[in-house]
Amino acid sequence: MARAAVCAFTLSFFLCCQAGAVTLRLCTMETGIRPFITTTGSGIADQLIRQAVQELGATVEFHAAPLTRCREEIRTNIADGFPYAPYTPTLAQFYVYPMHGATVDAARAVNSGRSMVFRRVGSKVEWDGQRFSQLTTPVLVPFGMVMLHDHLKSLEVAIDNSGKTMETNFAKMLAGRADVAVGTEYHGRELLALPQFAGKIEELPQPFTDAPYFLVTSRRFYEANPQLMEKLWDTIGRIRRTPAYQASQRKAFDEMVKP
């Protein structure tokens, strides 16, 4: 027992000392995904990452850029990672995720999030959770949302990803350029409350996707700091399951839907 305790202390001391010399530079979306990530790194997922990094004695910095630029910065090692990414084979080519054997480890995600289908009121398009029916126009998806784009592609439907934001896509629907759009659940509901969209666009009941989202890093950063990152992902998973964090998450959700 004493020897095990000494080993555990030694490993903890090593990680702390290693972390103290490390700053994790995260590129985040210039539009954010409320309430999870913001341009200033103050969303609930951002706060979770900050708390976990602080526990390990490391530091974290956020800077905002267009989503595609963030990916390029991570690929070219200008940035070290991204705070809120779903797992897709496309992204896994240059992102490192927390893994459990050969599969991505959802227990160490920063959040589990849904995307929904939003329809112009009066349209007959339906989504049953697996396929669209009566679809005659392209499905709108924000530019750079790889998981949503890939899922639409697998359904073999026409896609329009020229709009940079959900708000742009909602405006396109009202202009008659499409019947439906897909996007993140809470941000979509936030837009539905705005005067220009209220009563004109509606959310369909079945989720389009429901998936975990992860803090991801570049390959170079992970290879330089493998023990730190594994410990950081462990810490994120542990904090996320605490009653205190879950209460702060519920509060953030409630604040978003307040009239």
Side-chain angles (χ1 to χ4, degrees):
M1 290 289 292
R3 183 177 181 182
V6 170
C7 290
F9 175 80
T10 301
L11 177 59
S12 176
F13 179 79
F14 171 77
L15 286 170
C16 179
C17 292
Q18 182 193 39
V22 174
T23 296
L24 178 62
R25 301 164 304 157
L26 299 181
C27 186
T28 193
M29 286 174 64
E30 64 176 359
T31 56
I33 303 177
R34 294 184 63 235
F36 306 107
I37 60 173
T38 70
T39 56
T40 58
S42 59
I44 54 175
D46 299 324
Q47 293 170 23
L48 172 59
I49 293 167
R50 288 184 187 276
Q51 184 177 345
V53 167
Q54 184 176 20
E55 277 197 22
L56 297 181
T59 58
V60 60
E61 297 175 353
F62 292 82
H63 69 274
L67 182 56
T68 51
R69 185 186 300 171
C70 281
R71 291 184 183 137
E72 183 63 15
E73 286 188 10
I74 295 166
R75 189 187 68 81
T76 57
N77 299 305
I78 296 172
D80 298 321
F82 188 79
Y84 197 74
Y87 179 86
T88 72
T90 301
L91 297 177
Q93 295 177 50
F94 52 94
Y95 285 168
V96 180
Y97 294 80
M99 304 297 290
H100 182 72
T103 60
V104 68
D105 190 354
R108 297 193 285 171
V110 295
N111 183 60
S112 181
R114 304 196 309 177
S115 67
M116 306 298 290
V117 177
F118 298 89
R119 177 178 67 184
R120 188 178 68 252
V121 170
S123 168
K124 295 181 179 180
V125 177
E126 297 287 349
W127 167 253
D128 66 5
Q130 295 184 329
R131 61 186 62 84
F132 290 98
S133 59
Q134 302 193 64
L135 183 65
T136 59
T137 59
V139 178
L140 304 174
V141 59
F143 181 73
M145 293 289 190
V146 173
M147 180 177 67
L148 303 186
H149 183 278
D150 287 354
H151 191 34
L152 287 168
K153 190 175 179 181
S154 73
L155 296 172
E156 299 182 339
V157 300
I159 303 167
D160 179 349
N161 68 344
S162 60
K164 291 186 176 181
T165 67
M166 286 184 69
E167 187 169 2
T168 297
N169 286 342
F170 277 22
K172 283 186 176 184
M173 279 195 284
L174 294 187
R177 295 172 60 183
D179 289 316
V180 294
V182 295
T184 55
E185 177 179 22
Y186 287 98
H187 184 43
R189 291 176 183 173
E190 187 178 31
L191 292 175
L192 291 182
L194 297 178
Q196 63 265 41
F197 302 126
K200 303 172 186 176
I201 294 175
E202 59 190 351
E203 177 186 330
L204 298 185
Q206 295 297 323
F208 185 66
T209 60
D210 188 351
Y213 286 72
F214 302 89
L215 165 65
V216 294
T217 71
S218 67
R219 296 200 175 278
R220 187 171 77 172
F221 185 85
Y222 179 84
E223 289 167 0
N225 306 278
Q227 291 177 300
L228 173 62
M229 281 311 307
E230 293 296 335
K231 186 67 174 177
L232 179 56
W233 283 321
D234 288 344
T235 306
I236 285 170
R238 174 178 56 77
I239 294 172
R240 185 181 163 218
R241 290 187 288 272
T242 62
Y245 178 76
Q246 291 176 8
S248 68
Q249 188 176 55
R250 286 193 297 271
K251 181 179 179 182
F253 292 158
D254 291 344
E255 289 291 330
M256 281 201 70
V257 298
K258 276 184 179 180

